[in-house]
Amino acid sequence: MARGRIEIDEQYCKGCRLCVSVCPQEILAISSRLNERGYMPAEIIDMERCTGCSMCAVICPDVCITVYRQVPLRQT
Amino acid sequence: MGKVVEKLVYERPKSLTDAHTHYCPGCTHGVSHRLVAEALDELGIRERTIGIAPVGCSVLAYYYFNVDFAEAAHGRAPAMATGMKRANPDRVIFTYQGDGDLAAIGTGEIVHAAGRGENITVIFINNAIYGMTGGQMAPTTLEGQKTTSSPMGRDISIAGHPLKMSELLSTLDGAAYVVRHSLHDVKHIRRARKAILTAFKVQLAGLGFSMVELLSTCCTNWKMDPVESLDWLRDNMVPFYPLGEHKVIDAVKDL
């Protein structure tokens, strides 16, 4: 089961690739479709391997990534 | 395996508006904006903060921050901040300035604001080039760096040496907290975030002038892709502009 999950708001993404370059799991890629502003947004290609480390969100200049992490119930 | 729940670990800060930024893809202005917004959120001071935008690429910062904002004449943000802070001491005042704004036309204002020990916070973006006007040589351009106005590279014998603003301001008695950080990787971005938070705490505690210099990229005018720009920043700018705390008075250490 995935330990984390991210959501990419594609309308904010400018396809700069910085998230792709820092993802330790290498599960991000630039898609081949265009968003409404004419950029090719980043997408996640294997959500199951996401650990929720949030490195993509920390480097994202356009603040388009939201990160969730699976935690044991007692820690919340 | 026990029961697990999904916890939100990262979301867009409340101190940013929903606007799309005009910055080029990969521009670290976006990262700096976010770090400032996160600090305002964390300290719970969004509703009593006033930002001051410079002239330069970040001239439109007032569209992107969800706080009150003013726009200063080129380089005059620290002077405007001085007036605002003295008239409204309960407000948190920060300026957001690039190297063309702070280190060229606004050198006088920043030096005297720091010298007077004005209780303001300055976020200084140093990307070693004039971005908005088309990539000309800035006071912070490195020796040998090619720009549109130094096509053969900056020649020190003609253009002089780059200015190290953090070192310069750290010599002034009025400065309480002057640090330099870089935005070239996740680890350093996290450090920069912490420094911005401290800078605002310095102002809240009334300790005096605080400045965080952030080494940044300009992919378009450096003529590199965003990932290469971060590498260039790490390999060329970081060795010339040493990272770290250039001035931290004792009272700041106790915060």
Side-chain angles (χ1 to χ4, degrees), chain A residues 1-10 23 25-29 33 42-54 56 64-70, chain B residues 6:
Chain A
M1 198 183 112
R3 284 183 285 158
R5 179 170 72 84
I6 66 165
E7 286 170 4
I8 300 175
D9 190 334
E10 294 196 349
C23 178
Q25 298 289 91
E26 298 178 4
I27 53 174
L28 290 166
R33 62 184 180 281
E43 64 180 359
I44 188 152
I45 48 178
D46 185 1
M47 190 74 88
E48 278 302 300
R49 286 168 52 211
C50 180
T51 62
C53 70
S54 75
C56 51
C64 39
I65 303 178
T66 308
V67 185
Y68 302 90
R69 199 177 294 158
Q70 309 296 330
Chain B
E6 191 168 76

Side-chain angles (χ1 to χ4, degrees), chain A residues 12-18 37 39 59-64, chain B residues 20-33 56-58 60 64 127 129-135 216-227 229-230:
Chain A
Y12 282 103
C13 182
K14 294 176 184 156
C16 71
R17 270 178 195 277
L18 291 184
R37 303 175 85 80
Y39 294 113
I59 204 135
C60 177
D62 293 290
V63 206
C64 39
Chain B
H20 290 265
T21 65
H22 71 287
Y23 300 121
C24 306
C27 176
T28 45
H29 265 308
V31 177
S32 326
H33 282 23
C57 282
S58 48
L60 299 177
Y64 309 141
N127 60 4
I129 207 160
Y130 283 116
M132 185 184 73
T133 50
S216 298
T217 64
C218 182
C219 327
T220 301
N221 290 304
W222 290 1
K223 305 187 187 344
M224 296 173 200
D225 75 33
V227 178
S229 305
L230 294 186

